[in-house]
Amino acid sequence: MLATINLNSQLYFRTQFSTPKSLTLVLSVQLQSRNLKISNCISLNKPNNQSTNASSSPAGTDTLRIILAAGGTGGHIYPAIAIADDLKTLYPKAQLLFIGLPTGMESTSVPAAGYSFEPIPAAPLGRPVISLYNLFILPYVLIKSLIKSFQILKFFKPDIVIGTGGFVSFPICLAAGLRGIKLAIQEQNSVPGIANRVLSMFAYKVFVAFNSSVDCFWQKSKCVVCGNPVRLSLRQYASKAVGRRHFFSNAVVGKGDGKVVLILGGSLGANALNVAILHLYSEMLNERKDLFLIWQTGVLAYDEMESLVKFHPRLYIAPFFHSMDLAYAAADLIVSRAGAMTCSEILAAGKPCILIPSPNVAEGHQFHNACLMADLAGSRVIAEDELDSLTLKSSIEEILDNEALMTEMSERALKIAKPDASVEIAKHVLSLVNFSSTQG
């Protein structure tokens, strides 16, 4: 329970700031066993107290305060959570605050992971770059975002801000840079976007996933090649048997070893990939009695796909997987988009894969990611304009029917995987702010 008290007189102590009127700073003490944990709660235009309170501590303590900015898709959110988890492991007294969109995935994923969350308004850069939207609407939203960001920075007083991407991370990271607060950014893709190229000029460190990414930044000396942060659950390596039992009944799984193909359309869905799977799943399951399909359609596509699919005991279909560790563990082969984090998770899991990069992602990130995966891990790549059910079926069967090829692809993936990237990044962050992991 959170008690708001004065340390000396046991009286309530509340400091009300008049500008802005909607912002209240509350100094509080949280009683946990015999230890006092001092924190302050920020409320920034919170309707009905719906967003999670941010925590900080007064000056003069040894509490480390960190803001993590991430949003939009799981590819930006989960790396931030992975870094946060290892920061808390290395320095348990750290106070962490996530910044994101009020309606984005992060608004639910971050509190579910046990971290404080504060929303800010933000908008993406429009395409084409020269447009009425970018000239008139975007500057207005950016100004609002910066004002809110400056408010958060003023009252949370972070020692460092870490940005892992998504357009919502840009204003808070820019505000930190302008205020002289230490900034670190983490770039998941093989080729960085415009926002991180700009933010790199303010950053103390730029954590990148691939050696080739270093050449894309103007100040190469700031870059540290760590790999992409992979969630702790994916580093714990569940067994294939446990993974398969999670998705299929014991009766079905017990009929033989079989082969499991995991289809990942991303958190929002990939229409071309979903349509191709829709046209081949029934034929493949009927032809191959030892084949199992685990199909993540994406949230937006699930209702339509689910209504068109006929039930089959060796088919598991869902909009989104919260237990991705079990999905990777169950799989022999993965068919997926080429998001940076998905690619890194596939490498960490050591799985052969077929990648269909999205042509709709800014700066062609997924195409570059897929090409790098093909070079380093032997991944198969199918361009979306060449994708159809026949091409995909042929590629799946080519790999499933060649045990030597599957073994080679798996070994190459594991060889270049960097599953401890988040630990390395967390250690660098602590060194940047002169906090030792032994102080936790």
Side-chain angles (χ1 to χ4, degrees), residues 244-277:
R244 289 179 61 174
R245 282 197 296 269
H246 177 80
F247 294 100
F248 303 101
S249 71
N250 285 330
V252 174
V253 172
K255 290 183 178 180
D257 291 334
K259 290 292 196 304
V260 177
V261 177
L262 172 63
I263 301 107
L264 299 176
S267 55
L268 301 179
N271 185 63
L273 176 55
N274 282 331
V275 170
I277 296 297

Side-chain angles (χ1 to χ4, degrees), residues 338-356:
M341 283 313 302
T342 300
C343 290
S344 292
E345 290 173 355
I346 290 171
L347 294 177
K351 301 295 180 177
C353 67
I354 299 170
L355 300 174
I356 298 97

Side-chain angles (χ1 to χ4, degrees), residues 11 23 29 34 41 79 93 97 125 138 183 188 223 225 239 282 298 340 347 371 396 406 412 428:
L11 297 175
L23 188 145
V29 176
R34 295 183 180 179
C41 300
K93 287 191 286 187
L97 172 64
L125 181 70
L138 185 60
L183 172 67
Q188 300 96 39
C223 296
V225 182
S239 69
S282 181
L347 294 177
C371 290
I396 291 173
M406 291 183 68
R412 289 177 66 179
H428 277 288

Side-chain angles (χ1 to χ4, degrees), residues 371-402:
C371 290
L372 197 59
M373 287 285 285
D375 290 340
L376 298 178
S379 306
R380 299 294 187 264
V381 179
I382 303 175
E384 185 165 301
D385 58 5
E386 298 175 351
L387 177 67
D388 56 40
S389 56
L390 182 61
T391 302
L392 183 55
K393 181 174 181 286
S394 176
S395 296
I396 291 173
E397 290 178 337
E398 175 196 356
I399 297 173
L400 289 182
D401 293 335
N402 190 334

Side-chain angles (χ1 to χ4, degrees), residues 7-156:
L7 288 173
N8 297 319
S9 63
Q10 299 294 311
L11 297 175
Y12 284 86
F13 181 75
R14 181 183 293 266
T15 305
Q16 178 77 38
F17 292 88
S18 57
T19 305
K21 292 183 178 180
S22 60
L23 188 145
T24 304
L25 175 64
V26 182
L27 293 180
S28 60
V29 176
Q30 187 173 20
L31 303 177
Q32 295 179 342
S33 302
R34 295 183 180 179
N35 298 321
L36 292 180
K37 180 181 179 182
I38 302 175
S39 63
N40 70 328
C41 300
I42 295 177
S43 175
L44 297 167
N45 294 319
K46 292 181 183 174
N48 301 322
N49 218 14
Q50 288 180 347
S51 63
T52 307
N53 286 334
S55 297
S56 182
S57 64
T61 72
D62 62 351
T63 300
L64 171 63
R65 295 177 296 277
I66 301 174
I67 282 179
L68 295 105
T73 66
H76 297 302
I77 300 163
Y78 292 125
I81 292 176
I83 295 170
D85 287 344
D86 281 304
L87 282 168
K88 290 294 284 185
T89 298
L90 293 171
Y91 196 92
K93 287 191 286 187
Q95 303 266 340
L96 306 179
L97 172 64
F98 277 73
I99 305 297
L101 292 171
T103 57
M105 282 180 61
E106 58 272 27
S107 65
T108 55
S109 298
V110 169
Y115 295 108
S116 299
F117 176 79
E118 190 70 41
I120 64 171
L125 181 70
R127 295 293 189 275
V129 174
I130 301 176
S131 64
L132 293 177
Y133 167 83
N134 286 342
L135 289 174
F136 297 104
I137 298 177
L138 185 60
Y140 169 74
V141 178
L142 181 58
I143 290 171
K144 285 183 61 179
S145 301
L146 286 171
I147 291 173
K148 183 70 177 284
S149 297
F150 281 123
Q151 290 175 343
I152 293 172
L153 294 174
K154 178 180 179 181
F155 292 101
F156 186 72

Side-chain angles (χ1 to χ4, degrees), residues 400-422:
L400 289 182
D401 293 335
N402 190 334
E403 289 290 344
L405 176 60
M406 291 183 68
T407 300
E408 179 193 345
M409 294 173 75
S410 178
E411 290 176 349
R412 289 177 66 179
L414 289 171
K415 185 176 180 180
I416 62 171
K418 295 184 178 180
D420 296 324
S422 59

Side-chain angles (χ1 to χ4, degrees), residues 222-235:
K222 293 181 177 181
C223 296
V224 181
V225 182
C226 297
N228 274 323
V230 176
R231 287 170 277 179
L232 180 61
S233 61
L234 299 179
R235 288 180 264 154

